[in-house]
Amino acid sequence: MPQRIGNILLEKGLLTAAQLDSAVHEQQETQQYLGKILVDSGVINERQLLTILAEQQDIPFAELRDREVPAEVIRSVPAKFAWHYNIMPVDLRDSVLTIAISDPFDGWPIDDLQTNLGFRVEKVLATSADIHRAIRRHYGVAADTIERIMSEESRTEDEELGLQSGMEIEDLERMAEATSVIRVVNQILHQAIGQRATDIHLEHYRDQARLRYRVDGILRDARVSGDIKYLYPAVVSRIKIMSGLDIIERRLPQDGRARVKIGASEYDLRVSVMPTVYGENVVVRVLPTTMLFSLTDLGMAEEDLRKLSTLIESSNGILFVTGPTGSGKTTTLYAALKKLNVDERKLVTIEDPVEYELNGVSQVQVKPGIDLTFARTLRSMLRHDPDVVMVGEIRDQETANIAIRAALTGHLVLSTLHTNDAAGGVTRLLDIGVEPYLIASSVRAFMAQRLVRVLCPNCKERVTLDHETLAFFGQQNDDGPVTAYRSRGCESCEHTGYSGRTGIYEVLPVTETVRDMILHKASSEAIKRKAMDDGFKTMKLDGYDKILAGMTTTEEVLRVTQMEG
């Protein structure tokens, strides 16, 4: 007769006699399983319990974290069974199906599978969290819902709703409001937010629909049932309805927005729909409704943070943050506004679009369609007595000249430019027609930045930097081998090797020397070289410091600084 689970745990030192007595007393009152009581009370964790149960019941314990399951095994068990019973098929040989379960005493899943699928079923134990992750990874987002929609039982109803190519508009409206399609869209959003995605890409090709998430700046394929191609028009229509777009219009691009609540957090969704040869493609930008970052959260070196903090406390002048699209410029400016947002200051922004809502800041979104441009809004804004003005981007000479006039008349102006490095900001302003003397007299600093992925702390491993890498950063290894880290990949980081992002920066103050070079229309390279002679630290070197600190890798820094040179 197997030894009682409580006694085994007691013998192994995983709980005390007092804890066991308390759990047994609760079991007598509630009739709950003793192991569940111990796990729910935090005395032991599920992995410890299942390891003991595997030994007691003579059932293998399986690690699912890095286990790949063949596609034919996945196809043998419908998604609805896997999700409903929280079981994961792991092997199929000679009509014997092996499944991972977290409750060895629950016989319903095995009876149901044997009755409906015709296999003989054997079981292994795995934690419920590992099973859930494995189901999501192998079956894909919303697999059970899509399968239920596509099942034979619902086929007639779904066809009546227009589950075919060439749906009529009224069919699309009905289908988009169906509970099942709403659930599919909700599950896509929920998974995207759970994986920290900033963008959701829905794309349609000749005979395929594709779902991708942008996580840490990199697009990843999201595993999804191939049958989603049949639901694709309804899914797009549902997203259009959520964001206030016209579901009838399928020939022109459309932009909209929606707000959703996931758990306790709210998110703004910026939706862009674009017609393509084989249907409409959708990109959903996911933004938290409140600004979460402060300047100290951006990953700046202490010296750069000190320079920036001093610059934004100036009563006048312009600070330009430069970099390509997606380099985090707007986040940096919002973090600066957050620090400046006190009762003694009036803060106003002009943006396209407004990405985060900041209480206490007057935010205006430009609308070129009604001639509400950056320049026109900025001209009006200066009559509202602001102390700090943020202009989302300087795009033309008119906007630049108005911003400069504001800076010269006692306003602090924050804005962005699309350039490769800080010194390139001077060239950009000259190219759009700003006079050198205006740049020299109004701009206090140019700051450039990029975003690099942060190494996963659970799986990063040490490496030694080679001579070529050191030479790229202008370094030598005269004092011996230089140690850094590289990515490896594990379950917790979705096998990417990275989790999260941080910034690398360079801050170029407009000193007397730089000011004189601007007046003489010196090239950006000449300005950069002179600044480096005076101690200016480039993004590349900031990235090198973060490599040595184990925050990121040489590959990441090389990837984002190639344009900067």
Side-chain angles (χ1 to χ4, degrees):
M1 182 176 178
Q3 193 176 2
R4 290 180 178 272
I5 188 70
N7 293 332
I8 298 175
L9 292 167
L10 193 62
E11 288 178 3
K12 291 184 176 291
L14 295 174
L15 79 170
T16 64
Q19 289 171 327
L20 177 58
D21 289 342
S22 175
V24 169
H25 179 71
E26 183 176 341
Q27 182 189 33
Q28 291 170 346
E29 291 185 348
T30 64
Q31 301 301 309
Q32 280 189 314
Y33 170 54
L34 182 65
K36 184 178 188 305
I37 293 171
L38 292 169
V39 171
D40 290 347
S41 62
V43 175
I44 59 174
N45 60 43
E46 187 185 18
R47 184 174 295 273
Q48 290 171 323
L49 173 65
L50 291 180
T51 303
I52 299 299
L53 284 175
E55 179 182 322
Q56 183 200 42
Q57 300 293 321
D58 195 24
I59 303 172
F61 181 82
E63 292 285 357
L64 301 183
R65 286 180 176 270
D66 298 310
R67 183 167 182 166
E68 287 298 326
V69 180
E72 60 269 20
V73 178
I74 301 299
R75 287 194 296 267
S76 68
V77 178
K80 63 183 179 182
F81 282 107
W83 282 108
H84 179 70
Y85 288 120
N86 196 38
I87 61 171
M88 180 65 202
V90 294
D91 196 16
L92 178 60
R93 298 182 187 179
D94 301 326
S95 296
V96 177
L97 175 69
T98 303
I99 62 169
I101 62 173
S102 58
D103 183 355
F105 306 114
D106 184 2
W108 282 108
I110 293 174
D111 293 343
D112 208 355
L113 289 174
Q114 290 183 154
T115 300
N116 287 279
L117 304 182
F119 297 120
R120 185 164 66 84
V121 178
E122 294 184 351
K123 58 190 176 184
V124 296
L125 295 184
T127 65
S128 55
D130 282 355
I131 291 172
H132 183 77
R133 275 193 294 265
I135 294 172
R136 190 182 66 189
R137 181 153 60 96
H138 289 92
Y139 281 94
V141 58
D144 55 330
T145 306
I146 294 171
E147 186 178 88
R148 188 158 49 247
I149 296 172
M150 299 303 299
S151 66
E152 290 301 322
E153 292 80 9
S154 61
R155 176 59 60 114
T156 303
E157 176 187 351
D158 287 333
E159 286 181 352
E160 290 173 358
L161 287 171
L163 188 59
Q164 303 295 327
S165 59
M167 294 182 185
E168 296 298 328
I169 295 303
E170 56 268 27
D171 291 333
L172 275 176
E173 289 177 337
R174 293 173 60 202
M175 186 69 178
E177 295 291 2
T179 303
S180 52
V181 173
I182 292 173
R183 188 179 298 116
V184 170
V185 173
N186 289 347
Q187 287 175 308
I188 289 172
L189 292 173
H190 196 281
Q191 186 186 55
I193 291 169
Q195 293 187 10
R196 301 177 295 103
T198 55
D199 300 88
I200 303 168
H201 291 244
L202 281 160
E203 301 157 341
H204 202 279
Y205 302 101
R206 181 186 293 274
D207 193 36
Q208 177 192 9
R210 189 180 191 188
L211 173 65
R212 293 192 285 177
Y213 299 144
R214 187 176 295 279
V215 180
D216 297 334
I218 305 296
L219 273 175
R220 303 180 190 169
D221 270 309
R223 191 181 292 270
V224 65
S225 168
D227 286 336
I228 198 173
K229 65 185 179 184
Y230 301 112
L231 301 176
Y232 190 85
V235 169
V236 172
S237 294
R238 173 60 191 165
I239 294 173
K240 283 183 175 182
I241 290 170
M242 289 174 59
S243 50
L245 300 181
D246 184 357
I247 72 166
I248 297 176
E249 180 55 72
R250 287 180 280 180
R251 302 164 300 166
L252 297 173
Q254 296 188 70
D255 295 302
R257 61 189 299 174
R259 178 170 289 196
V260 297
K261 188 172 183 179
I262 304 291
S265 302
E266 288 191 349
Y267 297 87
D268 270 334
L269 307 180
R270 305 296 165 80
V271 178
S272 179
V273 181
M274 180 178 68
T276 68
V277 175
Y278 296 111
E280 293 177 295
N281 283 4
V282 180
V283 175
V284 180
R285 168 66 59 89
V286 182
L287 296 167
T289 55
T290 55
M291 176 64 197
L292 303 176
F293 288 107
S294 64
L295 288 177
T296 54
D297 297 326
L298 300 179
M300 286 187 182
E302 287 188 16
E303 178 64 16
D304 287 340
L305 181 60
R306 185 188 61 77
K307 288 179 184 177
L308 180 60
S309 298
T310 301
L311 286 165
I312 65 173
E313 291 296 338
S314 303
S315 59
N316 58 71
I318 302 180
L319 167 65
F320 282 110
V321 181
T322 75
T325 300
S327 58
K329 302 186 297 296
T330 303
T331 299
T332 298
L333 290 184
Y334 271 105
L337 288 175
K338 188 176 180 181
K339 183 174 182 180
L340 293 169
N341 189 12
V342 295
D343 291 341
E344 293 77 22
R345 294 191 182 101
K346 170 75 175 279
L347 279 67
V348 187
T349 73
I350 316 169
E351 306 172 64
D352 184 22
V354 174
E355 293 198 11
Y356 301 100
E357 294 181 9
L358 288 175
N359 288 330
V361 179
S362 300
Q363 297 172 271
V364 180
Q365 179 164 324
V366 300
K367 297 177 182 177
I370 58 172
D371 198 31
L372 186 63
T373 61
F374 277 106
R376 183 173 184 177
T377 308
L378 182 55
R379 207 179 284 114
S380 174
M381 184 180 289
L382 294 177
R383 295 192 283 271
H384 281 251
D385 188 31
D387 296 290
V388 181
V389 176
M390 186 189 99
V391 183
E393 182 186 348
I394 299 293
R395 298 177 179 175
D396 53 57
Q397 182 181 3
E398 184 183 12
T399 307
N401 285 333
I402 299 170
I404 287 171
R405 190 167 73 243
L408 293 174
T409 55
H411 303 87
L412 175 65
V413 180
L414 310 176
S415 191
T416 71
L417 288 170
H418 280 96
T419 65
N420 287 337
D421 57 12
V426 177
T427 304
R428 173 64 179 152
L429 291 174
L430 291 172
D431 287 345
I432 64 176
V434 181
E435 292 294 333
Y437 74 92
L438 290 175
I439 302 172
S441 58
S442 64
V443 180
R444 290 194 171 272
F446 295 93
M447 185 177 94
Q449 67 179 77
R450 299 287 191 278
L451 293 176
V452 293
R453 291 182 291 171
V454 175
L455 279 164
C456 173
N458 297 316
C459 64
K460 66 181 182 181
E461 53 189 22
R462 289 180 181 271
V463 293
T464 300
L465 299 184
D466 57 37
H467 294 289
E468 289 184 2
T469 301
L470 291 170
F472 176 82
F473 291 104
Q475 308 295 316
Q476 297 178 341
N477 58 345
D478 296 336
D479 298 327
V482 179
T483 300
Y485 292 84
R486 69 179 177 188
S487 63
R488 185 163 55 89
C490 64
E491 184 76 22
S492 62
C493 63
E494 302 283 341
H495 298 276
T496 63
Y498 299 94
S499 180
R501 288 192 290 179
T502 190
I504 58 174
Y505 304 89
E506 60 184 33
V507 181
L508 176 65
V510 180
T511 61
E512 286 297 328
T513 302
V514 173
R515 190 172 292 117
D516 185 63
M517 296 183 76
I518 292 172
L519 289 171
H520 288 86
K521 294 187 177 181
S523 68
S524 60
E525 278 302 313
I527 293 173
K528 182 176 179 178
R529 284 196 300 270
K530 179 58 180 173
M532 290 176 69
D533 291 340
D534 295 337
F536 169 65
K537 183 179 177 182
T538 65
M539 281 186 292
K540 191 184 295 183
L541 289 178
D542 188 37
Y544 180 71
D545 288 343
K546 288 180 169 66
I547 291 168
L548 297 187
M551 295 175 65
T552 190
T553 61
T554 57
E555 291 81 9
E556 273 297 288
V557 176
L558 291 173
R559 178 177 67 84
V560 302
T561 58
Q562 284 176 353
M563 290 185 297
E564 180 252 340

